[in-house]
Amino acid sequence: MIERPETAVPSIAQRNLEGYVGFANLPNQVYRKSVKRGFEFTLMVVGESGLGKSTLINSLFLTDLYSKDYPGPSQRIKKTVQVEQSKVLIKEGGVQLTLTIVDTPGFGDAVDNSNCWQPVINYIDSKCEDFLNAESRVNRRSMPDNRVHCCLYFIAPSGHGLKPLDIEFMKRLHDKVNVIPLIAKADTLTPEECQLFKKQIMKEIQEHKIKIYEFPDTEDDEDNKLIRKIKEKMPLAVVGSNVVIEVNGKKVRGRQYPWGVAEEGIFVENGEHCDFTVLRNMLIRTHMQDLKDVTNNVHYENYRSKKLAAVTCNGVDNTKTKGQLTKSPLAQMEEERREHVMKMKKMEAEMEQVFEMKVKEKKQKLKDSEAELERRHEQMKRNLEAQYKELEEKRRVYEDEKANWEAQQRILEQQKLDASKTMEKNKKKGKIF
Amino acid sequence: CNTSGEGARAVPLAGHVGFDSMPDQLVNKSVNHGFCFNILCVGETGLGKSTLMDTLFNTKFEGEPTQHNQPGVTLKSNTYELQESNVRLKLTVVNTVGFGDQINKEDSYKSIVEFIDAQFEAYLQEELKIKRTLHSYHDTRIHACLYFIAPTGHSLKSLDLVTMKKLDSKVNIIPIVAKSDAISKSELAKFKIKITSELVSNGVQIYQFPTDDESVAEINSTMNSHLPFAVVGSTEEVKIGNKMVKARQYPWGTVQVENENHCDFVKLREMLIRVNMEDLREQTHTRHYELYRRCKLEEMGFKDTDPDSKPFSLQETYEAKRNEFMGELQKKEEEMRQMFVQRVKEKEAELKEAEKELHEKFDRLKKLHQDEKKKLEDKKKSLDDELNMFKQKKTAAELLQNQAQQAGGSTTLKRDKERKK
């Protein structure tokens, strides 16, 4: 089931109005403005050629979208799958609608149909891409909405079940666009066959977990009853016709067979010929806006978030927490910047620490070296001083000794002198010969 | 979205298709979703902002009258859920508390501008998220700013002009003359003309009710000529005739709020709520918000085209931004590393210098020491020489003495011997 975003319900104060204010007129203002703006809708039709796609479009919009001047794709011979769009402007009741029909001629017509869905996917993605780029510009002007709002998938009325191509296509597209499967050329099935066919198809759709477009429940019970009735008819079986025939005095669109006329426009009480009216009512009259909203709020958002996540993570491992995706890529970068700043701070602190430590080491070494040299110098000094002292001592001793000896010598000298003087005297006295 | 219809050919319809129900489908969805509207009331304390809101929405909102002693301007916002018929409206009323009360009002407008920008920023952030929920986002952007002008009767205050000039590119401004029952009819006419001309001459862009839609062009253009609206607010009711009406009762008469001869209240309500509420929201989103967004993105370095004027794709833009960003970070890292390398070099050089000096010092000391040692050695040597000389002298002298003594001894002996003979 395709998830629809819930409307937030905040807790805020209620107030009752005591009189006329006038904002009940808001819906009218919205109405007025929307009419002035005009509407856009892009409808894609996919299916093998010959299933009556172009005829159905013409019937749905009661116009010759494909005519002699603008031939439908079935008239043109295609070798490979093309994706072509036609744009028309239609007006009704003052309301202007720019309708784009996207056709896929060649789909499923080849012998080997592998990847025939790829051009379709590429087209849808490229429209989303255009919108994303327009939305992301700095200067945004009008943003035309060319996204595919609905894809009608035509199933051939084999009566048995879905073909492998049908399953493959729907599985690949159900996440990208609103898929509404239709049984084409329903006038080749009897009502009973049709019922069985429908049941079988729905069974297979559920088995393969294909998410086709779902009608939203409304608050109105009456509407819900109708919706449930429509759901029971899915997939819708349609018949298209470009021809207007007169039946019982009434002009109707139908296909005339020898056995009768298969009408498409009249909802007959005792048996509908096909679900064409249901389709038209649902697609155009009641749910066109919802198809656009689901495209915008679900399919486009899916595309966008995938695209932006790829850009942000930039090839990095995508097992990041969900929390990352709630940010914009810019907020992401901001956070990364903050992380980086912290990392840098840490790195800086570490480097600072290492630096300081090394400086301290070196300084310490220098100090030790200095101390060592000081010590040695001191030692040498003391050594020298000691030697000096020693020398002083030696000199003193020597000086003393010398002084003594000299004193002695002087005494001796004196004695000698005295002795020789006495001898001289004695000699003179003749006592000594 | 706007339908350009370009490349589309008009085709006639052969019957009723049914897409003329599209506006109804759209309206039903919006009614189911509910509407939201945010009003900002800017004006001095005491101009009746809260009362006017109560009167406009026929209900009692929060709040007591504030005092005049606020230190600055703060914005107080309250959100209410209202319902009229099947239409649910989430209304947020934001009041400027303390506006005009300070002595220095130079920065009064700042908190208002910040508040408005903050709402834009919140929306922008949501819009830029990877997984976003715009559909259910509660839009808090200000859709209308009611600017309350004091009923002096003379002219706009400079605070008013400054503030409105700062706000006119960010929000739809609807100027109103508050408590207009204080002005007489003739004074009021002159006052309005003066105000309008002052706004024009100062280039203040006030909100113009749109005249492009034929269904409302006439009434809107008439109302545009009545701006600024002179209003009176009151939640009290007075009996007039056989009806209870909202009014203010004076000894000299009763001012009826909803009497268009008495004041422009009804006009304000018509324009603001009944006719142009949706346009106010639209203008806020497509004009004011886009301007904010554009400025913000340009500030962050986003461009729409590269130097060769080729348009950027979103992916390219983001990738370019990211590369730039990563490059920046790496550069910062490199710079820091380089700075450290530089510091280390410098420190190393410093320490080497110190080491060199140390060695030089000790070399000098060593040299001194060597000199000293040499001197000592010399002294030692000379002492030793002296000692030797002395020794020699002593030895020689002793030798002489011994000889002399021996000779003398023998002489004495001889003499003694002689004498004995």
Side-chain angles (χ1 to χ4, degrees):
Chain A
M1 192 154 102
I2 298 176
E3 279 180 17
R4 288 162 181 277
E6 296 296 325
T7 342
V9 181
S11 55
I12 44 188
Q14 300 271 343
R15 280 294 187 274
N16 289 322
L17 304 178
E18 284 149 22
Y20 169 78
V21 176
F23 62 81
N25 208 33
L26 258 177
N28 292 337
Q29 297 178 35
V30 172
Y31 189 100
R32 187 179 16 106
K33 278 192 173 283
S34 72
V35 169
K36 188 153 184 292
R37 259 197 313 267
F39 295 86
E40 306 171 298
F41 194 75
T42 302
L43 179 65
M44 180 183 255
V45 280
V46 182
E48 298 165 15
S49 8
L51 285 179
K53 304 191 293 288
S54 312
T55 314
L56 184 73
I57 296 297
N58 281 350
S59 304
L60 269 175
F61 292 98
L62 291 175
T63 184
D64 288 332
L65 199 89
Y66 297 117
S67 63
K68 260 191 292 173
D69 302 320
Y70 298 91
S74 56
Q75 313 284 44
R76 290 165 275 169
I77 302 163
K78 295 285 180 269
K79 294 226 177 73
T80 53
V81 180
Q82 308 286 316
V83 180
E84 296 177 349
Q85 66 176 54
S86 323
K87 242 189 199 175
V88 290
L89 187 61
I90 43 183
K91 274 196 213 167
E92 191 172 70
V95 177
Q96 196 170 279
L97 175 67
T98 303
L99 178 69
T100 307
I101 303 292
V102 183
D103 223 313
T104 54
F107 180 85
D109 290 339
V111 175
D112 180 5
N113 285 311
S114 328
N115 291 322
C116 68
W117 46 80
Q118 201 54 49
V120 177
I121 292 179
N122 292 344
Y123 180 87
I124 294 174
D125 280 348
S126 85
K127 294 302 167 193
C128 280
E129 167 116 17
D130 289 343
F131 193 83
L132 179 60
N133 283 338
E135 191 196 19
S136 310
R137 285 173 63 85
V138 173
N139 276 302
R140 306 195 286 199
R141 284 292 153 215
S142 62
M143 289 193 289
D145 186 4
N146 291 317
R147 298 171 294 186
V148 178
H149 300 121
C150 178
C151 175
L152 299 178
Y153 186 75
F154 286 70
I155 300 167
S158 66
H160 296 153
L162 291 172
K163 294 204 206 118
L165 176 60
D166 299 335
I167 294 167
E168 194 61 36
F169 180 86
M170 286 198 277
K171 268 169 89 170
R172 285 173 185 276
L173 271 283
H174 67 174
D175 276 329
K176 293 185 171 292
V177 70
N178 296 317
V179 174
I180 298 181
L182 302 173
I183 297 173
K185 298 205 159 169
D187 51 348
T188 62
L189 297 166
T190 66
E192 296 80 28
E193 285 171 342
C194 198
Q195 273 294 98
L196 280 169
F197 193 30
K198 286 186 181 185
K199 272 212 176 69
Q200 180 61 24
I201 291 174
M202 288 314 282
K203 181 157 153 267
E204 289 182 30
I205 281 177
Q206 267 169 12
E207 266 168 22
H208 291 272
K209 296 203 178 53
I210 294 170
K211 293 177 251 166
I212 57 174
Y213 173 72
E214 284 216 13
F215 298 90
D217 286 326
T218 61
E219 307 197 332
D220 189 290
D221 289 323
E222 283 299 315
D223 287 344
N224 278 340
K225 264 198 244 160
L226 284 168
I227 284 172
R228 239 168 287 140
K229 260 184 141 181
I230 295 172
K231 282 190 181 176
E232 283 164 23
K233 289 190 203 250
M234 296 286 280
L236 302 174
V238 292
V239 170
S241 171
N242 284 331
V243 178
V244 178
I245 310 157
E246 210 172 304
V247 176
N248 297 335
K250 270 210 286 210
K251 281 203 154 67
V252 295
R253 282 183 152 229
R255 293 173 63 75
Q256 193 153 44
Y257 293 105
W259 47 90
V261 177
E263 293 163 34
E264 45 125 279
I266 300 178
F267 198 101
V268 179
E269 219 99 312
N270 49 4
E272 308 111 18
H273 291 183
C274 72
D275 302 322
F276 173 83
T277 316
V278 178
L279 174 67
R280 188 186 55 197
N281 287 345
M282 178 271 278
L283 180 65
I284 301 174
R285 296 183 184 178
T286 54
H287 286 84
M288 197 177 239
Q289 186 59 42
D290 187 64
L291 285 162
K292 291 175 67 171
D293 287 344
V294 173
T295 305
N296 185 54
N297 298 339
V298 178
H299 297 299
Y300 170 72
E301 287 298 318
N302 266 344
Y303 173 84
R304 180 181 173 277
S305 54
K306 277 202 203 108
K307 200 86 202 285
L308 290 183
V311 167
T312 316
C313 299
N314 238 5
V316 180
D317 184 12
N318 274 341
T319 54
K320 302 214 176 180
T321 56
K322 262 209 170 144
Q324 209 129 58
L325 293 180
T326 57
K327 291 189 217 88
S328 68
L330 296 172
Q332 179 83 343
M333 284 202 274
E334 259 315 297
E335 170 137 336
E336 281 180 14
R337 172 173 289 136
R338 258 177 276 137
E339 272 175 21
H340 188 260
V341 166
M342 286 207 321
K343 179 171 138 213
M344 292 253 291
K345 272 210 168 85
K346 199 162 141 222
M347 213 167 73
E348 189 173 4
E350 276 173 14
M351 281 205 209
E352 191 76 44
Q353 228 183 19
V354 168
F355 181 78
E356 287 302 319
M357 199 177 70
K358 287 234 158 89
V359 165
K360 206 162 120 180
E361 243 178 58
K362 262 253 161 111
K363 278 200 174 152
Q364 188 60 34
K365 252 201 193 153
L366 209 69
K367 232 178 161 171
D368 291 344
S369 187
E370 188 175 11
E372 177 65 22
L373 286 170
E374 278 279 350
R375 194 182 60 74
R376 249 191 271 159
H377 173 76
E378 273 304 300
Q379 207 179 46
M380 289 203 288
K381 207 159 106 178
R382 262 178 278 141
N383 201 332
L384 213 65
E385 277 174 11
Q387 287 190 23
Y388 254 112
K389 258 213 169 95
E390 217 181 277
L391 188 71
E392 287 294 310
E393 188 62 29
K394 203 172 174 190
R395 176 167 281 276
R396 199 178 54 77
V397 165
Y398 159 74
E399 292 288 329
D400 280 350
E401 202 182 314
K402 184 165 164 207
N404 280 341
W405 185 77
E406 281 183 351
Q408 260 185 13
Q409 294 300 97
R410 269 198 300 274
I411 294 173
L412 277 175
E413 279 298 314
Q414 194 62 35
Q415 282 181 344
K416 233 199 214 167
L417 215 67
D418 286 345
S420 78
K421 265 202 187 140
T422 323
M423 258 183 74
E424 281 298 309
K425 245 201 243 171
N426 286 345
K427 230 185 190 173
K428 276 186 182 153
K429 284 181 180 172
K431 282 186 183 171
I432 299 174
F433 48 88
Chain B
C1 64
N2 282 324
T3 26
S4 50
E6 45 183 65
R9 65 181 206 274
V11 291
L13 300 173
H16 183 237
V17 178
F19 59 84
D20 55 350
S21 67
M22 275 298 269
D24 284 313
Q25 292 182 40
L26 185 64
V27 165
N28 282 340
K29 276 201 165 259
S30 357
V31 169
N32 281 335
H33 191 248
F35 298 90
C36 106
F37 196 71
N38 306 321
I39 302 182
L40 168 67
C41 293
V42 179
E44 293 172 11
T45 317
L47 281 182
K49 304 191 285 292
S50 311
T51 311
L52 186 68
M53 285 295 111
D54 290 350
T55 319
L56 263 176
F57 288 95
N58 263 314
T59 187
K60 182 81 186 82
F61 293 127
E62 237 111 56
E64 279 124 37
T66 38
Q67 303 299 310
H68 288 265
N69 55 2
Q70 308 292 321
V73 180
T74 49
L75 284 97
K76 216 163 148 281
S77 108
N78 286 306
T79 308
Y80 306 92
E81 267 196 2
L82 309 173
Q83 182 156 354
E84 191 169 49
S85 141
N86 64 336
V87 178
R88 286 174 291 120
L89 177 69
K90 211 174 281 168
L91 177 74
T92 300
V93 180
V94 185
N95 244 311
T96 50
V97 177
F99 188 77
D101 281 333
Q102 297 78 34
I103 296 174
N104 182 355
K105 296 178 259 225
E106 270 183 351
D107 295 338
S108 295
Y109 71 87
K110 281 198 186 140
S111 11
I112 305 176
V113 168
E114 273 166 18
F115 182 86
I116 296 174
D117 279 347
Q119 311 317 308
F120 284 145
E121 182 67 29
Y123 189 89
L124 179 64
Q125 285 305 318
E126 183 65 33
E127 204 186 25
L128 290 177
K129 275 191 195 165
I130 296 178
K131 262 192 164 41
R132 58 188 188 180
T133 48
L134 277 178
H135 176 74
S136 51
Y137 179 77
H138 178 200
D139 189 3
T140 56
R141 298 172 295 181
I142 301 295
H143 302 121
C145 170
L146 294 180
Y147 195 93
F148 288 68
I149 298 167
T152 59
H154 300 315
S155 61
L156 285 173
K157 299 191 186 165
S158 48
L159 172 66
D160 295 332
L161 279 169
V162 165
T163 309
M164 280 200 268
K165 193 84 182 92
K166 291 280 179 205
L167 295 180
D168 70 354
S169 60
K170 293 191 172 289
V171 73
N172 300 315
I173 300 182
I174 301 176
I176 57 183
V177 177
K179 294 196 166 176
S180 64
D181 50 349
I183 316 180
S184 77
K185 205 162 180 163
S186 54
E187 281 177 351
L188 188 61
K190 284 202 216 117
F191 193 31
K192 282 194 181 185
I193 293 172
K194 190 84 208 309
I195 292 174
T196 314
S197 75
E198 278 191 329
L199 289 175
V200 166
S201 60
N202 280 281
V204 176
Q205 306 258 358
I206 58 171
Y207 176 74
Q208 294 294 306
F209 305 117
T211 49
D212 51 353
D213 188 341
E214 318 88 48
S215 43
V216 290
E218 206 183 307
I219 185 170
N220 274 346
S221 79
T222 315
M223 292 297 184
N224 275 329
S225 62
H226 284 281
L227 284 169
F229 292 134
V231 295
V232 173
S234 173
T235 46
E236 282 165 13
E237 295 196 328
V238 170
K239 189 158 188 170
I240 302 281
N242 55 354
K243 275 209 301 188
M244 293 298 282
V245 296
K246 290 199 276 273
R248 287 175 62 78
Q249 201 157 39
Y250 292 100
W252 51 87
T254 307
V255 180
Q256 294 160 42
V257 170
E258 281 167 305
N259 184 331
E260 292 202 57
N261 288 325
H262 290 193
C263 74
D264 297 330
F265 174 83
V266 173
K267 296 194 175 70
L268 175 67
R269 187 178 60 196
E270 276 292 297
M271 289 291 101
L272 178 67
I273 302 176
R274 261 208 98 227
V275 179
N276 297 303
M277 202 178 228
E278 183 60 23
D279 186 71
L280 284 160
R281 283 157 37 101
E282 208 178 86
Q283 290 292 317
T284 304
H285 180 66
T286 58
R287 197 147 58 92
H288 301 297
Y289 170 70
E290 283 300 313
L291 180 63
Y292 175 85
R293 177 182 176 278
R294 186 162 62 237
C295 291
K296 202 72 205 286
L297 290 183
E298 280 174 356
E299 212 178 289
M300 294 199 277
F302 280 90
K303 289 189 283 286
D304 276 335
T305 56
D306 65 14
D308 301 315
S309 285
K310 279 208 301 273
F312 272 135
S313 84
L314 180 72
Q315 188 147 8
E316 283 174 17
T317 309
Y318 272 131
E319 270 174 16
K321 256 262 121 204
R322 193 180 177 75
N323 288 339
E324 191 190 313
F325 172 69
M326 291 310 240
E328 227 180 86
L329 296 184
Q330 272 178 349
K331 197 171 103 177
K332 281 211 172 106
E333 239 173 271
E334 232 352 84
E335 272 175 14
M336 189 172 92
R337 257 187 256 270
Q338 285 303 335
M339 189 189 73
F340 260 103
V341 165
Q342 187 65 18
R343 270 178 76 187
V344 166
K345 263 204 199 141
E346 282 174 10
K347 206 54 179 207
E348 262 179 7
E350 226 179 86
L351 290 173
K352 252 206 169 91
E353 231 355 89
E355 207 176 338
K356 194 163 129 207
E357 274 177 22
L358 184 71
H359 282 289
E360 279 178 7
K361 171 173 157 193
F362 277 100
D363 281 347
R364 270 192 308 249
L365 286 177
K366 197 164 168 196
K367 180 129 188 320
L368 277 174
H369 175 85
Q370 304 279 45
D371 290 345
E372 284 292 315
K373 198 164 177 194
K374 180 106 189 347
K375 268 198 242 165
L376 181 69
E377 293 293 314
D378 289 345
K379 277 207 177 145
K380 254 195 188 163
K381 183 135 187 320
S382 70
L383 179 65
D384 279 346
D385 287 345
E386 269 186 52
L387 220 70
N388 281 340
M389 261 183 23
F390 173 64
K391 262 207 175 93
Q392 281 182 358
K393 204 167 150 189
K394 194 166 158 190
T395 321
E398 280 178 3
L399 198 66
L400 268 173
Q401 272 178 7
N402 281 344
Q403 283 181 346
Q405 258 194 348
Q406 276 193 345
S410 63
T411 324
T412 322
L413 271 170
K414 234 178 180 187
R415 263 188 265 138
D416 281 345
K417 247 183 190 174
E418 306 250 316
R419 249 196 254 142
K420 277 171 181 167
K421 278 182 182 178

